Amino acid sequence: ETLSNRYPYSCYKQVFVDETYDDYRSYATMSILSVNLLHSAVIVDQVYNTRTIMAQAIAEQFFGCFISMQNWSDMWLNKGVSQYLCGLYCKKSFGNNEYRHWVQSVLQDVVKYEEQFGGIVLDPSQPPAPIPLGANTPQVNVKQNEEKYYFSIRNLHTMSPMYILALHKKAFLVMRMLEHRIGQELLLQVFNKQLSLATNAAQQKIGSGLWGHMLISTNVFTKAI
């Protein structure tokens, strides 16, 4: 209902597995979920967690499986968009108070991490835009910010798991910021445009040169915004 585009695949299956490493993993046409998410109808508290994770898994079918990242540095985009769409579902299903509580908890987690370990760079492949500073304020070198970590933030395989988790949360907050800046309707139009281009490209032959629309990058998303 949120997106104007139809589900991009012909089917969708949910497989519940015992002792999974994560609560869910999304793959094209299928999601693998933990059996611990299943609960009796009598247990009400588990409904919030289970439905949120299922909604996140379905959202990643659109942004994550169907539209994939162009480079590893664009990982934040698919996570941010899918979490934003999941948040809209939670807001509609559980109410505005539950949604705002979730946003507040995510914000607190990101602030706590950045205060303790340092700032999070969503796209480390390119330097961030310079911050407008006063005449007496010294410039901060990007490399100095990276040296705060004992691992390289330019490669997914060297990032700390805690850093990746905080990066995913910050990506969601950035989508929320864009929603407040340009409005929810315009932001959803950007998502629908990307899905429409990807759907059209998926129907073409590989030699048509349109399969690049099934990839999303920070530069493409910035231009669309």
Side-chain angles (χ1 to χ4, degrees):
E1 296 178 0
T2 303
L3 298 173
S4 60
N5 290 268
R6 298 182 60 183
Y7 179 69
Y9 300 110
S10 59
C11 63
Y12 177 67
K13 298 179 181 179
Q14 291 181 332
V15 181
F16 291 87
V17 181
D18 190 18
E19 296 184 0
T20 56
Y21 180 76
D22 294 316
D23 287 334
Y24 78 97
R25 282 291 179 182
S26 295
Y27 305 93
T29 72
M30 181 183 70
S31 295
I32 297 178
L33 301 102
S34 172
V35 73
N36 296 329
L37 296 175
L38 299 175
H39 61 89
S40 170
V42 182
I43 304 176
V44 180
D45 295 341
Q46 183 63 28
V47 174
Y48 297 94
N49 187 34
T50 298
R51 289 191 179 182
T52 300
I53 292 176
M54 287 183 175
Q56 176 68 26
I58 295 176
E60 290 187 7
Q61 292 290 312
F62 293 89
F63 289 90
C65 296
F66 186 61
I67 297 181
S68 183
M69 53 188 171
Q70 185 170 354
N71 300 300
W72 286 114
S73 56
D74 304 315
M75 169 183 61
W76 72 275
L77 262 176
N78 283 329
K79 278 293 182 180
V81 175
S82 60
Q83 287 181 100
Y84 174 77
L85 296 175
C86 174
L88 294 182
Y89 167 80
C90 295
K91 184 178 182 180
K92 182 178 180 180
S93 300
F94 307 139
N96 190 49
N97 290 338
E98 180 69 22
Y99 175 68
R100 292 175 68 89
H101 172 71
W102 177 45
V103 173
Q104 179 66 19
S105 62
V106 171
L107 178 60
Q108 289 178 348
D109 292 342
V110 173
V111 171
K112 181 179 179 181
Y113 182 90
E114 291 193 329
E115 287 180 345
Q116 183 176 359
F117 299 105
I120 299 172
V121 181
L122 295 179
D123 187 355
S125 65
Q126 51 188 347
I131 302 175
L133 302 173
N136 299 326
T137 307
Q139 289 281 348
V140 179
N141 193 353
V142 179
K143 291 186 177 180
Q144 293 179 357
N145 189 31
E146 293 182 9
E147 291 174 356
K148 294 180 180 179
Y149 299 102
Y150 63 88
F151 52 86
S152 173
I153 63 174
R154 295 183 176 272
N155 193 314
L156 178 66
H157 301 289
T158 58
M159 290 182 183
S160 164
M162 291 178 59
Y163 181 89
I164 295 177
L165 182 61
L167 185 144
H168 292 169
K169 293 181 178 180
K170 188 172 184 178
F172 164 69
L173 296 176
V174 170
M175 293 300 164
R176 281 265 305 170
M177 180 192 70
L178 290 174
E179 178 192 39
H180 287 289
R181 180 65 63 90
I182 67 175
Q184 178 179 325
E185 184 178 354
L186 291 178
L187 185 59
L188 291 177
Q189 286 182 9
V190 174
F191 299 158
N192 287 320
K193 180 181 179 182
Q194 297 296 324
L195 286 171
S196 298
L197 292 174
T199 302
N200 181 55
Q203 299 172 356
Q204 308 299 324
K205 295 181 179 180
I206 189 172
S208 62
L210 297 177
W211 279 24
H213 293 309
M214 301 179 69
L215 302 174
I216 191 169
S217 65
T218 304
N219 293 330
V220 171
F221 183 74
T222 304
K223 292 178 181 178
I225 291 293

